[in-house]
Amino acid sequence: MTVWSSKLEDDLASLLKDWLKHQGRTQSDLRRSLRATSTRMPALMEVLERDHRLGGMPRVAARLCAIEAEWASSDGEGTAASATRKMANLDPDPFGQLDLLLQEIRDDCAS
């Protein structure tokens, strides 16, 4: 199992920022979904580190995939991402790129 480290945390924070931008979401949206105490990145990371302790990176990736699916199913509520997709007339993939991350993590764990 991958050990939680400051490098892993930095990489994950970078991934989250890119993911949120791609989804048209904010750290506040992620805070609500994670039920974190704050919108600040350290508070978000605290929740993900707890998940990591309980199940490693596969659990973290699965949690983020579930959040992305939740967002995709609730996009009818008028989020910026929903409006952008409607204007572009796109059918969103409910798991985006997180399913690829989950598969890569599973492949690494199997090796």
Side-chain angles (χ1 to χ4, degrees):
M1 182 165 78
T2 307
V3 177
W4 189 269
S5 66
S6 61
K7 172 146 178 39
L8 176 67
E9 192 169 315
D10 291 343
D11 290 346
L12 187 56
S14 178
L15 173 86
L16 289 175
K17 288 175 185 176
D18 288 343
W19 176 57
L20 289 170
K21 186 184 301 183
H22 176 74
Q23 293 293 314
R25 298 292 182 153
T26 65
Q27 286 181 208
S28 181
D29 295 323
L30 184 57
R31 184 210 64 79
R32 277 189 295 278
S33 294
L34 289 173
R35 294 174 188 84
T37 58
S38 169
T39 61
R40 299 183 55 85
M41 192 56 72
L44 301 174
M45 287 308 203
E46 183 179 305
V47 174
L48 294 174
E49 183 178 5
R50 190 174 336 127
D51 279 341
H52 183 270
R53 280 192 308 258
L54 295 172
M57 285 307 291
R59 182 174 174 131
V60 171
R63 176 107 185 246
L64 295 175
C65 284
I67 289 170
E68 188 170 34
E70 169 192 320
W71 288 346
S73 69
S74 69
D75 269 349
E77 297 173 7
T79 64
S82 176
T84 301
R85 279 195 290 276
K86 285 177 185 172
M87 287 181 357
N89 199 20
L90 300 174
D91 186 16
D93 175 7
F95 295 104
Q97 294 181 350
L98 285 178
D99 58 340
L100 299 175
L101 175 64
L102 181 58
Q103 185 59 46
E104 185 176 325
I105 291 169
R106 286 180 177 150
D107 292 345
D108 287 347
C109 290
S111 301

